[in-house]
Amino acid sequence: MTNSLDIEHLRTLIAIAECGGFSKAATVRHLSQPALSQHVRLLERGLKRKLFVKDGRQMRFTAEGDRVLAEARHLVEMHDEVMRRLAVEQHTAITVGSTEHAAEQVLPEMLRVIRDAFPDATTRFEIGRSTRLADEITRGTLDLAFVLDPSGSGAGHEVGQLPLHWYAAPGWTPPEPGRPLHLVAFEEPCGLREQALQLLSAAGRMVEVTAQSSTLEGVLAGVRAGLGVALLPSAGGRPFGLTRRRDLPTAGTAALRLIARRGLDPAVAETARIAGETFFSRPALALVPQSPGA
């Protein structure tokens, strides 16, 4: 058996457990798949234990693997605590995620603030749906994320409010009485989709989801094609090629929240929170003026 363990190999083992697989762990660890697999092989060779076993198309921890994983978490935690006590400067990477609805406005300012506050850190960003970003925060593969919360009761710190508006293609006309209103929405699960359906139902409208997409661009394309209306946050102006519909139920606003992974340096989270709140406290959000007719 080996006389020592490589701390980076142990970090890889922990990443595989937290990410649920080798592929995502390789991305999070900024390693190639072969390099990550080599970390595992070296651990297995040094400990003379089989840490993983094939389970269908996936790899799962063996009983010995679970035992080594528990020790790895303990060792890495102790190692990092010692490094902090000795004030040893370590290279840091801060990964920030944002919902598509706010990325264009929020991310540039947020990345600038974080880079200014932590000049020795590498800053990366990721854009995606709020549900996926929240899941990555839970798994620890993202440090910070700005997510949409139409319910107003989600986790994290509220940094701002985005008005919700209905949009349709120019020339779109509401259905005749007794006919369902066509809705273009995000694929489930989606808080915006749920809110749109609830608002229309409360107004006595029959609704049919005629198109759905996993991306904002897909939803916009469906609306531009005249497939129906969509409920969307307004982050500085109406989407190109669409008109705002004022003949549908008032939707109010959706909270934009900052969530952070467990164990993130409190200074990083606090810097992002203050920057987000400052950004949204500016008059008219200091965003791009709305297009005519918005």
Side-chain angles (χ1 to χ4, degrees):
M1 185 179 291
T2 183
N3 291 322
S4 64
L5 292 169
D6 189 311
I7 201 72
E8 293 306 315
H9 295 174
L10 297 179
R11 291 189 196 279
T12 291
L13 195 70
I14 295 169
I16 293 170
E18 293 181 345
C19 296
F22 280 51
S23 179
K24 185 65 178 179
T27 301
V28 170
R29 294 281 288 133
H30 308 292
L31 296 169
S32 66
Q33 186 84 33
L36 182 129
S37 297
Q38 178 70 359
H39 283 194
V40 173
R41 283 194 295 270
L42 290 172
L43 277 173
E44 290 182 326
R45 187 182 306 161
L47 294 170
K48 292 181 171 46
R49 286 172 170 83
K50 189 72 174 173
L51 304 181
F52 291 91
V53 64
K54 196 168 181 61
D55 184 10
R57 299 177 61 183
Q58 305 295 322
M59 298 290 285
R60 63 175 174 82
F61 280 91
T62 62
E64 286 288 347
D66 284 331
R67 181 184 171 192
V68 172
L69 174 63
E71 296 292 347
R73 293 186 192 278
H74 181 60
L75 283 170
V76 169
E77 183 178 350
M78 289 181 60
H79 169 275
D80 291 349
E81 178 59 30
V82 169
M83 296 292 277
R84 283 190 291 270
R85 288 203 302 267
L86 295 177
V88 177
E89 186 174 336
Q90 301 182 66
H91 177 73
T92 303
I94 302 172
T95 308
V96 183
S98 174
T99 173
E100 295 172 289
H101 305 288
E104 185 176 352
Q105 288 75 29
V106 176
L107 269 185
E109 176 70 8
M110 193 55 50
L111 295 178
R112 182 191 67 77
V113 169
I114 291 176
R115 285 171 182 151
D116 288 348
F118 305 96
D120 295 326
T122 300
T123 310
R124 303 181 179 88
F125 68 89
E126 183 173 327
I127 300 172
R129 291 183 60 186
S130 295
T131 49
R132 181 173 65 81
L133 295 175
D135 183 55
E136 292 194 27
I137 287 289
T138 300
R139 287 188 285 140
T141 56
L142 266 183
D143 293 314
L144 300 159
F146 291 90
V147 297
L148 202 64
D149 176 28
S151 71
S153 58
H157 297 278
E158 181 180 313
V159 295
Q161 291 277 337
L162 297 178
L164 297 174
H165 298 314
W166 298 94
Y167 294 100
W172 179 88
T173 56
E176 297 177 359
R179 303 283 294 177
L181 183 142
H182 291 173
L183 179 69
V184 181
F186 287 92
E187 294 176 356
E188 296 182 292
C190 175
L192 274 179
R193 177 184 178 131
E194 292 177 9
Q195 184 160 349
L197 292 171
Q198 289 172 2
L199 287 169
L200 293 169
S201 176
R205 300 261 193 167
M206 291 190 297
V207 186
E208 179 182 350
V209 178
T210 51
Q212 60 182 2
S213 174
S214 62
T215 67
L216 175 60
E217 193 53 46
V219 170
L220 293 175
V223 178
R224 291 188 185 109
L227 299 180
V229 298
L231 180 65
L232 297 170
S234 176
R238 64 179 170 87
F240 176 76
L242 301 182
T243 58
R244 182 178 166 189
R245 300 296 306 195
R246 302 176 187 271
D247 52 352
L248 294 172
T250 301
T253 62
L256 189 70
R257 292 185 177 275
L258 173 67
I259 54 178
R261 69 167 173 81
R262 185 178 180 181
L264 180 66
D265 183 345
V268 176
E270 184 67 3
T271 297
R273 183 189 67 78
I274 293 173
E277 291 178 351
T278 301
F279 179 82
F280 278 95
S281 68
R282 299 173 184 174
L285 301 185
L287 298 178
V288 181
Q290 289 197 339
S291 305

